[in-house]
Amino acid sequence: MAAAIDLNCDLGESFGAWRLGDDETMFGLVTSANVACGFHAGDPLTMRRSVELAARHGVALGAHPGYRDLAGFGRRALDAAPEELAAELLYQLGALDGLARAQGVRVRYVKAHGALYHRLGADERAAAAFAEALAAYDPALPVLGAPGGAIERAATAAGLRFAREAFADRGYGADGLLRPRGAAGALVTEPEEVAARAVALATTGAVPLADGGALELAPDSICLHGDTPGAPELARRVRAALEDAGVRVRAFA
């Protein structure tokens, strides 16, 4: 049985007049916050408010860089060269870390967003460029990502700590990959099911599959999405279920 598990969430995704999610509530329910850095979502004021909320609630602040794709919310695959990805990582990380320093805190880890997250799991050259750029910025910053992919190998090669992530509110295929958004079973929104999946991940390291099998992931952190309808109540149910199961919820970083 896991003694402890991290609960992370993608937050700070509002932009200008457009509001997404209930950050005020969600920062009080999770232990790590993946904050958008202005490319796929977020803006300087939203980022600053996210830093303030993280500091107020004692939540680990994570940089959540993505493709330069506000219109597509970073979920469209872009053919950016590895060296461009590395430069854009540093640009986004530096922006959030600067705002954090002004509040007396620091970015504690990095997790890629959306289509970039998936690319880094499969593209060895892109993953190496990403990890090497992060190691050059701060070799003490961990990478949070999907286990067993190119980014885990690249992070290890660059001397970075790699934290394994699993999703309680997303469906997996037997190949270990998340089901594409829009496919049957891709999104899991029923609170009791999401809570049960989170407990299984924390206590057994595995998540149930639709065919009756189970996928071994052994996560350090469990992700919930802040833009899921009813996300705050879902997070409350998940956290309560974990604590009822004797799992201590704490930041991995």
Side-chain angles (χ1 to χ4, degrees):
M1 179 176 181
I5 196 75
D6 178 47
L7 193 59
N8 81 78
C9 186
D10 301 348
L11 295 169
E13 294 180 324
S14 297
F15 178 78
W18 182 58
R19 292 288 176 264
L20 181 66
D22 182 358
D23 285 2
E24 291 283 343
T25 300
M26 290 299 292
F27 268 96
L29 296 169
V30 299
T31 47
S32 296
N34 320 312
V35 173
C37 300
F39 271 28
H40 75 276
D43 57 33
L45 185 55
T46 299
M47 292 162 67
R48 186 176 186 183
R49 287 171 176 160
S50 297
V51 169
E52 292 169 349
L53 286 168
R56 182 189 311 165
H57 291 285
V59 170
L61 178 67
H64 198 36
Y67 280 131
R68 195 168 8 160
D69 181 28
L70 280 173
F73 196 61
R75 290 180 176 161
R76 300 184 293 189
L78 301 183
D79 189 23
E83 57 269 24
E84 184 175 4
L85 295 179
E88 292 188 344
L89 161 65
L90 294 172
Y91 187 97
Q92 295 175 80
L93 174 56
L96 184 63
D97 199 34
L99 289 165
R101 284 170 179 259
Q103 290 293 319
V105 296
R106 293 293 304 274
V107 168
R108 302 264 295 278
Y109 66 94
V110 175
K111 172 190 167 181
H113 168 80
L116 178 58
Y117 181 99
H118 295 297
R119 178 177 174 182
L120 295 178
D123 185 331
E124 301 285 349
R125 289 184 61 241
F130 188 95
E132 289 164 7
L134 179 57
Y137 183 87
D138 185 347
L141 285 175
V143 178
L144 178 62
I151 188 58
E152 182 171 10
R153 293 187 289 274
T156 301
L160 299 170
R161 177 187 172 195
F162 184 82
R164 299 162 65 93
E165 177 180 46
F167 293 82
D169 57 2
R170 292 290 309 276
Y172 285 88
D175 58 2
L177 301 177
L178 292 174
R179 292 183 176 275
R181 287 180 179 272
L187 304 178
V188 185
T189 58
E190 201 284 315
E192 291 303 321
E193 183 179 1
V194 175
R197 287 162 63 89
V199 171
L201 283 164
T203 58
T204 72
V207 65
L209 295 173
D211 65 4
L215 178 66
E216 293 287 340
L217 294 170
D220 300 297
S221 182
I222 296 172
C223 182
L224 298 173
H225 285 87
D227 59 349
T228 301
E233 181 57 28
L234 196 60
R236 288 190 188 95
R237 298 285 284 277
V238 166
R239 184 149 188 168
L242 289 168
E243 292 171 348
D244 287 347
V247 178
R248 185 165 58 94
V249 182
R250 59 94 181 98
F252 77 89

